[in-house]
Amino acid sequence: MISENNISPEKTLTISNAATVAEIQNWLISKISSQLNLSPSDIDITTELATYGLDSMDAVMISGELEDALEIELASTVLWDYPTIESLSAFLYNTINSNE
């Protein structure tokens, strides 16, 4: 479990297209824990998001928020294509850094 992230579900973090992998991971942990009414400490970045009950509507909403925040275009299936926070954050980081 990710215990070093002290993110409260009430606190929504912001990210930008200058975000680091860790910042993207923290944003995803915050967003997903809030969306699914979980404690951020219950989310492991190596566990598939569907395990936590993330459904397609949640995934499409989060991918839209990521597009807006990172100023990139993403497939609506990006959370299924990269099913863990670890894989998704690495993909997002590489995507925003290849657009420079």
Side-chain angles (χ1 to χ4, degrees), residues 15-58:
I15 55 171
S16 71
N17 60 1
T20 65
V21 172
E23 290 168 335
I24 295 168
Q25 288 177 352
N26 286 337
W27 185 90
L28 288 165
I29 290 167
S30 176
K31 177 59 64 181
I32 292 164
S33 65
S34 176
Q35 186 74 25
L36 302 177
N37 295 316
L38 298 170
S39 170
S41 64
D42 290 337
I43 296 181
D44 184 329
I45 64 170
T46 63
T47 299
E48 290 197 9
L49 297 172
T51 302
Y52 299 112
L54 189 79
D55 63 24
S56 59
M57 186 184 294
D58 294 325

Short mmCIF file of all heavy atoms in Angstrom, two decimals, residues 15-58:
data_model
loop_
_atom_site.label_atom_id
_atom_site.label_comp_id
_atom_site.label_asym_id
_atom_site.label_seq_id
_atom_site.Cartn_x
_atom_site.Cartn_y
_atom_site.Cartn_z
N ILE A 15 -2.95 19.28 -11.10
CA ILE A 15 -1.76 18.93 -11.87
C ILE A 15 -1.75 19.78 -13.12
O ILE A 15 -2.74 20.36 -13.51
CB ILE A 15 -1.71 17.43 -12.23
CG1 ILE A 15 -2.98 16.99 -12.97
CG2 ILE A 15 -1.42 16.57 -11.04
CD1 ILE A 15 -2.91 15.60 -13.55
N SER A 16 -0.59 19.82 -13.75
CA SER A 16 -0.44 20.55 -15.00
C SER A 16 0.41 19.72 -15.94
O SER A 16 0.91 18.65 -15.57
CB SER A 16 0.23 21.90 -14.75
OG SER A 16 1.60 21.69 -14.42
N ASN A 17 0.61 20.24 -17.14
CA ASN A 17 1.43 19.50 -18.09
C ASN A 17 2.93 19.59 -17.76
O ASN A 17 3.75 19.13 -18.53
CB ASN A 17 1.14 19.95 -19.53
CG ASN A 17 1.42 21.41 -19.76
OD1 ASN A 17 1.85 22.12 -18.87
ND2 ASN A 17 1.16 21.86 -20.96
N ALA A 18 3.27 20.13 -16.61
CA ALA A 18 4.65 20.13 -16.12
C ALA A 18 4.80 19.16 -14.93
O ALA A 18 5.80 19.19 -14.24
CB ALA A 18 5.06 21.54 -15.71
N ALA A 19 3.81 18.30 -14.73
CA ALA A 19 3.79 17.41 -13.57
C ALA A 19 4.85 16.32 -13.66
O ALA A 19 5.18 15.83 -14.74
CB ALA A 19 2.42 16.78 -13.43
N THR A 20 5.34 15.93 -12.50
CA THR A 20 6.25 14.78 -12.40
C THR A 20 5.41 13.50 -12.29
O THR A 20 4.20 13.56 -12.06
CB THR A 20 7.14 14.90 -11.16
OG1 THR A 20 6.30 14.82 -9.99
CG2 THR A 20 7.94 16.20 -11.15
N VAL A 21 6.07 12.36 -12.40
CA VAL A 21 5.36 11.09 -12.23
C VAL A 21 4.73 11.03 -10.84
O VAL A 21 3.57 10.63 -10.70
CB VAL A 21 6.32 9.88 -12.45
CG1 VAL A 21 5.64 8.57 -12.07
CG2 VAL A 21 6.79 9.83 -13.90
N ALA A 22 5.45 11.44 -9.82
CA ALA A 22 4.92 11.41 -8.45
C ALA A 22 3.70 12.31 -8.30
O ALA A 22 2.73 11.95 -7.63
CB ALA A 22 6.00 11.79 -7.45
N GLU A 23 3.74 13.49 -8.91
CA GLU A 23 2.59 14.39 -8.84
C GLU A 23 1.37 13.80 -9.56
O GLU A 23 0.24 13.91 -9.07
CB GLU A 23 2.94 15.75 -9.45
CG GLU A 23 3.91 16.54 -8.60
CD GLU A 23 4.50 17.74 -9.29
OE1 GLU A 23 4.57 17.77 -10.54
OE2 GLU A 23 4.91 18.68 -8.58
N ILE A 24 1.61 13.15 -10.68
CA ILE A 24 0.51 12.50 -11.40
C ILE A 24 -0.05 11.36 -10.55
O ILE A 24 -1.26 11.21 -10.42
CB ILE A 24 0.98 11.99 -12.78
CG1 ILE A 24 1.36 13.18 -13.69
CG2 ILE A 24 -0.12 11.14 -13.44
CD1 ILE A 24 2.10 12.78 -14.96
N GLN A 25 0.83 10.58 -9.95
CA GLN A 25 0.37 9.48 -9.09
C GLN A 25 -0.45 10.01 -7.92
O GLN A 25 -1.51 9.47 -7.61
CB GLN A 25 1.57 8.66 -8.58
CG GLN A 25 2.19 7.82 -9.64
CD GLN A 25 3.42 7.07 -9.16
OE1 GLN A 25 3.92 7.29 -8.05
NE2 GLN A 25 3.93 6.18 -9.98
N ASN A 26 0.02 11.07 -7.29
CA ASN A 26 -0.71 11.64 -6.15
C ASN A 26 -2.08 12.17 -6.58
O ASN A 26 -3.06 12.00 -5.87
CB ASN A 26 0.10 12.74 -5.48
CG ASN A 26 1.24 12.19 -4.66
OD1 ASN A 26 1.23 11.05 -4.23
ND2 ASN A 26 2.26 13.01 -4.46
N TRP A 27 -2.13 12.81 -7.75
CA TRP A 27 -3.41 13.32 -8.27
C TRP A 27 -4.37 12.15 -8.52
O TRP A 27 -5.54 12.21 -8.14
CB TRP A 27 -3.19 14.11 -9.56
CG TRP A 27 -4.44 14.76 -10.07
CD1 TRP A 27 -4.89 16.00 -9.77
CD2 TRP A 27 -5.40 14.20 -10.97
NE1 TRP A 27 -6.08 16.25 -10.43
CE2 TRP A 27 -6.42 15.16 -11.17
CE3 TRP A 27 -5.51 12.97 -11.62
CZ2 TRP A 27 -7.52 14.94 -11.99
CZ3 TRP A 27 -6.61 12.74 -12.46
CH2 TRP A 27 -7.60 13.72 -12.63
N LEU A 28 -3.86 11.09 -9.15
CA LEU A 28 -4.70 9.92 -9.43
C LEU A 28 -5.19 9.26 -8.15
O LEU A 28 -6.35 8.88 -8.04
CB LEU A 28 -3.95 8.91 -10.31
CG LEU A 28 -3.75 9.34 -11.76
CD1 LEU A 28 -2.70 8.46 -12.43
CD2 LEU A 28 -5.07 9.30 -12.51
N ILE A 29 -4.31 9.12 -7.17
CA ILE A 29 -4.71 8.53 -5.88
C ILE A 29 -5.81 9.38 -5.24
O ILE A 29 -6.82 8.85 -4.77
CB ILE A 29 -3.49 8.39 -4.94
CG1 ILE A 29 -2.55 7.31 -5.46
CG2 ILE A 29 -3.95 8.08 -3.51
CD1 ILE A 29 -1.19 7.31 -4.77
N SER A 30 -5.61 10.69 -5.23
CA SER A 30 -6.60 11.59 -4.65
C SER A 30 -7.93 11.50 -5.39
O SER A 30 -9.00 11.38 -4.78
CB SER A 30 -6.07 13.02 -4.69
OG SER A 30 -7.03 13.93 -4.22
N LYS A 31 -7.89 11.57 -6.70
CA LYS A 31 -9.10 11.55 -7.52
C LYS A 31 -9.84 10.23 -7.38
O LYS A 31 -11.06 10.19 -7.17
CB LYS A 31 -8.72 11.80 -8.99
CG LYS A 31 -9.86 11.74 -9.96
CD LYS A 31 -10.96 12.72 -9.68
CE LYS A 31 -10.54 14.14 -9.81
NZ LYS A 31 -11.63 15.09 -9.52
N ILE A 32 -9.14 9.12 -7.49
CA ILE A 32 -9.78 7.81 -7.45
C ILE A 32 -10.30 7.51 -6.05
O ILE A 32 -11.41 6.99 -5.90
CB ILE A 32 -8.80 6.73 -7.96
CG1 ILE A 32 -8.58 6.94 -9.47
CG2 ILE A 32 -9.31 5.33 -7.66
CD1 ILE A 32 -7.38 6.23 -10.04
N SER A 33 -9.54 7.85 -5.03
CA SER A 33 -10.03 7.59 -3.66
C SER A 33 -11.27 8.42 -3.38
O SER A 33 -12.23 7.92 -2.78
CB SER A 33 -8.94 7.86 -2.63
OG SER A 33 -8.58 9.22 -2.60
N SER A 34 -11.30 9.65 -3.84
CA SER A 34 -12.47 10.50 -3.65
C SER A 34 -13.67 9.96 -4.44
O SER A 34 -14.78 9.87 -3.91
CB SER A 34 -12.13 11.92 -4.08
OG SER A 34 -13.27 12.74 -4.00
N GLN A 35 -13.44 9.61 -5.68
CA GLN A 35 -14.50 9.11 -6.56
C GLN A 35 -15.13 7.83 -6.02
O GLN A 35 -16.34 7.62 -6.12
CB GLN A 35 -13.93 8.86 -7.96
CG GLN A 35 -14.93 8.50 -9.01
CD GLN A 35 -15.77 9.68 -9.45
OE1 GLN A 35 -15.36 10.82 -9.35
NE2 GLN A 35 -16.95 9.40 -9.92
N LEU A 36 -14.30 6.97 -5.45
CA LEU A 36 -14.77 5.65 -5.00
C LEU A 36 -14.98 5.57 -3.49
O LEU A 36 -15.22 4.49 -2.96
CB LEU A 36 -13.79 4.57 -5.46
CG LEU A 36 -13.56 4.50 -6.98
CD1 LEU A 36 -12.53 3.44 -7.30
CD2 LEU A 36 -14.87 4.23 -7.71
N ASN A 37 -14.89 6.71 -2.81
CA ASN A 37 -15.07 6.76 -1.36
C ASN A 37 -14.13 5.80 -0.62
O ASN A 37 -14.55 5.05 0.27
CB ASN A 37 -16.53 6.48 -0.98
CG ASN A 37 -17.43 7.57 -1.49
OD1 ASN A 37 -17.13 8.74 -1.38
ND2 ASN A 37 -18.55 7.16 -2.08
N LEU A 38 -12.87 5.84 -1.00
CA LEU A 38 -11.83 5.03 -0.37
C LEU A 38 -10.83 5.94 0.32
O LEU A 38 -10.70 7.12 -0.03
CB LEU A 38 -11.09 4.20 -1.42
CG LEU A 38 -11.88 3.19 -2.21
CD1 LEU A 38 -11.04 2.64 -3.36
CD2 LEU A 38 -12.34 2.06 -1.30
N SER A 39 -10.11 5.39 1.26
CA SER A 39 -9.00 6.12 1.85
C SER A 39 -7.83 6.09 0.88
O SER A 39 -7.54 5.02 0.32
CB SER A 39 -8.61 5.46 3.17
OG SER A 39 -7.39 6.02 3.63
N PRO A 40 -7.14 7.20 0.68
CA PRO A 40 -5.97 7.17 -0.20
C PRO A 40 -4.95 6.12 0.20
O PRO A 40 -4.29 5.53 -0.66
CB PRO A 40 -5.39 8.58 -0.07
CG PRO A 40 -6.57 9.42 0.30
CD PRO A 40 -7.41 8.53 1.19
N SER A 41 -4.84 5.85 1.49
CA SER A 41 -3.87 4.85 1.95
C SER A 41 -4.27 3.42 1.55
O SER A 41 -3.44 2.51 1.61
CB SER A 41 -3.68 4.94 3.46
OG SER A 41 -4.88 4.63 4.12
N ASP A 42 -5.52 3.23 1.13
CA ASP A 42 -5.96 1.91 0.68
C ASP A 42 -5.61 1.64 -0.78
O ASP A 42 -5.80 0.52 -1.26
CB ASP A 42 -7.48 1.77 0.84
CG ASP A 42 -7.91 1.68 2.30
OD1 ASP A 42 -7.06 1.31 3.14
OD2 ASP A 42 -9.07 2.01 2.59
N ILE A 43 -5.11 2.64 -1.47
CA ILE A 43 -4.84 2.49 -2.89
C ILE A 43 -3.36 2.18 -3.11
O ILE A 43 -2.48 2.91 -2.67
CB ILE A 43 -5.26 3.74 -3.67
CG1 ILE A 43 -6.78 3.90 -3.55
CG2 ILE A 43 -4.82 3.66 -5.13
CD1 ILE A 43 -7.37 5.05 -4.28
N ASP A 44 -3.12 1.07 -3.80
CA ASP A 44 -1.78 0.63 -4.16
C ASP A 44 -1.58 0.94 -5.64
O ASP A 44 -2.41 0.55 -6.46
CB ASP A 44 -1.67 -0.87 -3.90
CG ASP A 44 -0.28 -1.43 -4.15
OD1 ASP A 44 0.44 -0.90 -5.04
OD2 ASP A 44 0.08 -2.41 -3.49
N ILE A 45 -0.51 1.63 -5.98
CA ILE A 45 -0.31 2.05 -7.36
C ILE A 45 -0.06 0.88 -8.32
O ILE A 45 -0.11 1.07 -9.53
CB ILE A 45 0.82 3.10 -7.49
CG1 ILE A 45 2.17 2.53 -7.10
CG2 ILE A 45 0.47 4.36 -6.70
CD1 ILE A 45 3.36 3.43 -7.44
N THR A 46 0.19 -0.30 -7.79
CA THR A 46 0.43 -1.46 -8.65
C THR A 46 -0.80 -2.36 -8.80
O THR A 46 -0.74 -3.37 -9.50
CB THR A 46 1.61 -2.31 -8.11
OG1 THR A 46 1.28 -2.83 -6.83
CG2 THR A 46 2.89 -1.47 -8.03
N THR A 47 -1.89 -2.00 -8.15
CA THR A 47 -3.13 -2.78 -8.22
C THR A 47 -4.02 -2.24 -9.34
O THR A 47 -4.16 -1.02 -9.49
CB THR A 47 -3.89 -2.72 -6.88
OG1 THR A 47 -3.05 -3.29 -5.87
CG2 THR A 47 -5.20 -3.47 -6.93
N GLU A 48 -4.63 -3.13 -10.12
CA GLU A 48 -5.52 -2.69 -11.19
C GLU A 48 -6.69 -1.91 -10.62
O GLU A 48 -7.29 -2.30 -9.62
CB GLU A 48 -6.00 -3.89 -12.01
CG GLU A 48 -4.89 -4.49 -12.84
CD GLU A 48 -5.38 -5.39 -13.95
OE1 GLU A 48 -6.60 -5.46 -14.21
OE2 GLU A 48 -4.51 -6.03 -14.57
N LEU A 49 -7.00 -0.81 -11.27
CA LEU A 49 -8.04 0.10 -10.78
C LEU A 49 -9.41 -0.56 -10.71
O LEU A 49 -10.20 -0.24 -9.83
CB LEU A 49 -8.08 1.35 -11.65
CG LEU A 49 -6.79 2.18 -11.61
CD1 LEU A 49 -6.84 3.29 -12.65
CD2 LEU A 49 -6.55 2.72 -10.23
N ALA A 50 -9.69 -1.49 -11.59
CA ALA A 50 -10.98 -2.19 -11.56
C ALA A 50 -11.17 -2.95 -10.25
O ALA A 50 -12.30 -3.13 -9.79
CB ALA A 50 -11.09 -3.13 -12.75
N THR A 51 -10.08 -3.33 -9.62
CA THR A 51 -10.13 -4.03 -8.33
C THR A 51 -10.83 -3.18 -7.28
O THR A 51 -11.50 -3.70 -6.39
CB THR A 51 -8.70 -4.37 -7.85
OG1 THR A 51 -8.07 -5.16 -8.85
CG2 THR A 51 -8.71 -5.12 -6.54
N TYR A 52 -10.69 -1.86 -7.39
CA TYR A 52 -11.29 -0.94 -6.42
C TYR A 52 -12.73 -0.58 -6.76
O TYR A 52 -13.37 0.15 -6.03
CB TYR A 52 -10.46 0.35 -6.33
CG TYR A 52 -9.05 0.10 -5.87
CD1 TYR A 52 -7.97 0.29 -6.73
CD2 TYR A 52 -8.78 -0.33 -4.57
CE1 TYR A 52 -6.68 0.06 -6.31
CE2 TYR A 52 -7.49 -0.55 -4.14
CZ TYR A 52 -6.44 -0.36 -5.01
OH TYR A 52 -5.15 -0.59 -4.59
N GLY A 53 -13.23 -1.10 -7.89
CA GLY A 53 -14.60 -0.82 -8.27
C GLY A 53 -14.74 0.32 -9.28
O GLY A 53 -15.84 0.80 -9.51
N LEU A 54 -13.64 0.73 -9.88
CA LEU A 54 -13.70 1.77 -10.90
C LEU A 54 -14.48 1.23 -12.10
O LEU A 54 -14.17 0.17 -12.62
CB LEU A 54 -12.28 2.16 -11.34
CG LEU A 54 -12.20 3.37 -12.25
CD1 LEU A 54 -12.32 4.65 -11.41
CD2 LEU A 54 -10.90 3.38 -13.01
N ASP A 55 -15.51 1.97 -12.51
CA ASP A 55 -16.31 1.53 -13.66
C ASP A 55 -16.03 2.42 -14.86
O ASP A 55 -15.26 3.38 -14.78
CB ASP A 55 -17.80 1.46 -13.32
CG ASP A 55 -18.42 2.80 -12.97
OD1 ASP A 55 -17.89 3.85 -13.38
OD2 ASP A 55 -19.45 2.79 -12.28
N SER A 56 -16.64 2.10 -15.99
CA SER A 56 -16.35 2.82 -17.22
C SER A 56 -16.75 4.29 -17.14
O SER A 56 -16.06 5.15 -17.69
CB SER A 56 -17.00 2.15 -18.42
OG SER A 56 -18.40 2.08 -18.24
N MET A 57 -17.83 4.61 -16.45
CA MET A 57 -18.24 6.00 -16.31
C MET A 57 -17.20 6.80 -15.53
O MET A 57 -16.84 7.91 -15.91
CB MET A 57 -19.61 6.12 -15.63
CG MET A 57 -20.13 7.55 -15.62
SD MET A 57 -21.68 7.78 -14.75
CE MET A 57 -22.79 6.86 -15.77
N ASP A 58 -16.71 6.21 -14.43
CA ASP A 58 -15.66 6.86 -13.64
C ASP A 58 -14.41 7.06 -14.50
O ASP A 58 -13.78 8.12 -14.47
CB ASP A 58 -15.28 6.01 -12.42
CG ASP A 58 -16.39 5.87 -11.41
OD1 ASP A 58 -17.16 6.83 -11.21
OD2 ASP A 58 -16.48 4.78 -10.80
#
